[in-house]
DNA sequence: CTAAAATCTAGACAGTGTCTAGTTTAAAAT
DNA sequence: ATTTTAAACTAGACACTGTCTAGATTTTAG
């Protein structure tokens, strides 16, 4: 058992970790700097040595969330390097899984909670990188004739937007029961992707 | 100039209106019951005569937002009753316009700020009605052969999800500059809808 | 006209983000 | 090795928040 030291040693990461914990327990509205500090075992003003303000901590949590998302997305897609259509499907499904397993992190990443994303270079970088990974998948699909020719970034926004939108609506409880009673979220995503992929 | 009366007369609506004002000035994070009360010219605890808590006011604002959205959507679509494809396009565009002109209201409606939507029947009702309006458009498109045959509600979720997702990502600043430099939001939406509508 | 209900005010409480001043420790400079 | 400096942390304060209570005022019902 390590005796309590005045200096934590790795408080910054501990705060991010504590933040994720509070977030998934109490939701976005229940996330407070003071709770995070308490959970990390430091005084209520200690976080200010590592984060300029609450937004900065939120940015760090969001950045971590994006890294997590990127990892899961990449892991889901990589096994199908010879089957672009399956990459699309499994990528979308990984996205959905991440969102449903980390609802509040997903919310913090995409729901306007972080107010000035541009101010946080690490956040910008990982979200750029994630988008580029999507573009790669799209390009592979286009090369294989699975998606129609077009500027790949444009197609990426179109397809990503669709997947993102459907999942967001699902999390928000906005998908009608007349649909949810008959189709799973995976069914819905497959149907949606088919619209882009073309009819068989 | 009407002398100040002890009873406001229509405080409930005044609070909702004040709330919308604060929301569009200070954003979701800047919305507080006390500010709203002050703006409406009543004491800080007066709102509790009309709303159980802050969430209830947020629900009312969201409900008002949905009514607004429904009106704009319907108005944009109605003129094209003989051209389902145009209904789709103008409906999507009206949705985009609403979102960009009322960013924070849109956020409150769709970004998990309202935590228990189910508890607010008026909110559930207007969002159901809005979805049904979308389904109508989809049906018209399917009858005209503009959209492929399928359960219309499923197609509605797919198309609505796409439009909603693209707009959400745009508001969130998540659409890459490599895309935004070359395409307007309308271009992107048209491209996305084309994926569903079929190729010409 | 009176009783009850609805509407509003004022005060209090715990919790919040953030600031300042000071304390402890680690790192750097001599 | 010792001193200086900077980093990490604590404690206290402030204004602001949501919400509760008790009481005042006005409207509505019986």
């Amino acid at each position: 058992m390590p005796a309590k030291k005045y200096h934590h040693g790795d408080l910054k990461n501990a705060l991010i970790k504590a933040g994720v914990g509070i977030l998934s327990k109490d939701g976005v509205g229940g996330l407070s700097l003071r709770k995070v500090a308490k959970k990390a075992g430091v005084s209520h003003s200690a976080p200010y040595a590592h984060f300029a303000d609450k937004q900065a901590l939120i940015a760090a949590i969001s950045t971590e969330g994006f890294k997590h998302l990127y990892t899961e997305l990449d892991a889901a897609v990589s096994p199908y390097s010879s089957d672009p259509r399956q990459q699309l499907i499994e990528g979308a499904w990984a996205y959905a899984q991440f969102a449903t397993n980390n609802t509040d992190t997903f919310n913090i990443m995409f729901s306007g909670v972080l107010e000035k994303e541009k101010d946080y270079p690490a956040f910008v970088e990982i979200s750029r990188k994630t988008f580029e990974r999507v573009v790669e998948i799209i390009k592979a699909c286009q090369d294989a004739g699975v998606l129609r020719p077009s500027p790949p970034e444009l197609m990426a926004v179109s397809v990503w937007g669709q997947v993102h939108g459907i999942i967001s609506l699902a999390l928000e409880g906005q998908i009608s029961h007349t649909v949810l009673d008959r189709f799973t979220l995976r069914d819905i995503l497959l149907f949606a992707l088919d619209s882009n992929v073309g009819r068989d």
Side-chain angles (χ1 to χ4, degrees), chain A:
Chain A
M1 54 198 96
K4 272 185 254 177
K5 289 190 290 186
Y6 192 91
H7 279 43
H8 182 287
D10 193 24
L11 183 55
K12 185 166 185 173
N13 286 315
L15 289 170
I16 295 174
K17 209 158 198 170
V20 173
I22 304 246
L23 189 58
S24 59
K25 195 165 71 75
D26 302 342
V28 179
L31 178 68
S32 86
L33 272 180
R34 293 173 103 109
K35 271 194 219 167
V36 170
K38 179 168 274 178
K39 180 156 190 172
V42 292
S43 83
H44 59 110
S45 46
Y48 284 87
H50 302 277
F51 300 102
D53 51 22
K54 189 183 181 183
Q55 282 287 309
L57 174 61
I58 289 175
I61 295 174
S62 300
T63 303
E64 217 52 43
F66 251 110
K67 286 181 186 169
H68 185 182
L69 172 59
Y70 179 89
T71 303
E72 305 256 312
L73 179 65
D74 191 59
V77 165
S78 295
Y80 301 95
S81 53
S82 60
D83 185 351
R85 194 172 190 279
Q86 203 63 24
Q87 283 188 43
L88 209 55
I89 292 170
E90 298 304 329
W93 184 238
Y95 199 92
Q97 298 272 66
F98 174 82
T100 49
N101 292 333
N102 311 276
T103 319
D104 300 283
T105 303
F106 187 80
N107 256 324
I108 261 199
M109 290 162 65
F110 289 113
S111 294
V113 179
L114 184 55
E115 277 157 20
K116 294 184 177 176
E117 318 94 23
K118 301 267 192 64
D119 291 359
Y120 306 96
F123 178 85
V124 171
E125 169 54 18
I126 184 62
S127 72
R128 188 199 58 76
K129 188 178 165 191
T130 304
F131 178 69
E132 272 196 7
R133 189 69 187 83
V134 173
V135 172
E136 276 178 33
I137 301 169
I138 297 295
K139 274 181 181 157
C141 287
Q142 289 180 323
D143 289 348
V146 168
L147 288 174
R148 60 176 164 140
S150 71
E153 288 88 0
L154 182 58
M155 181 63 88
V157 167
S158 177
V159 172
W160 177 32
Q162 185 167 39
V163 171
H164 179 80
I166 289 170
I167 292 166
S168 298
L169 292 176
L171 292 185
E172 204 64 21
Q174 284 284 351
I175 294 189
S176 161
H177 274 287
T178 63
V179 175
L180 282 184
D181 288 347
R182 293 196 290 159
F183 305 96
T184 66
L185 180 56
R186 193 167 220 263
D187 290 334
I188 298 172
L189 287 172
L190 289 176
F191 176 88
L193 289 176
D194 266 355
S195 301
N196 297 277
V197 164
R199 289 110 228 187
D200 306 293

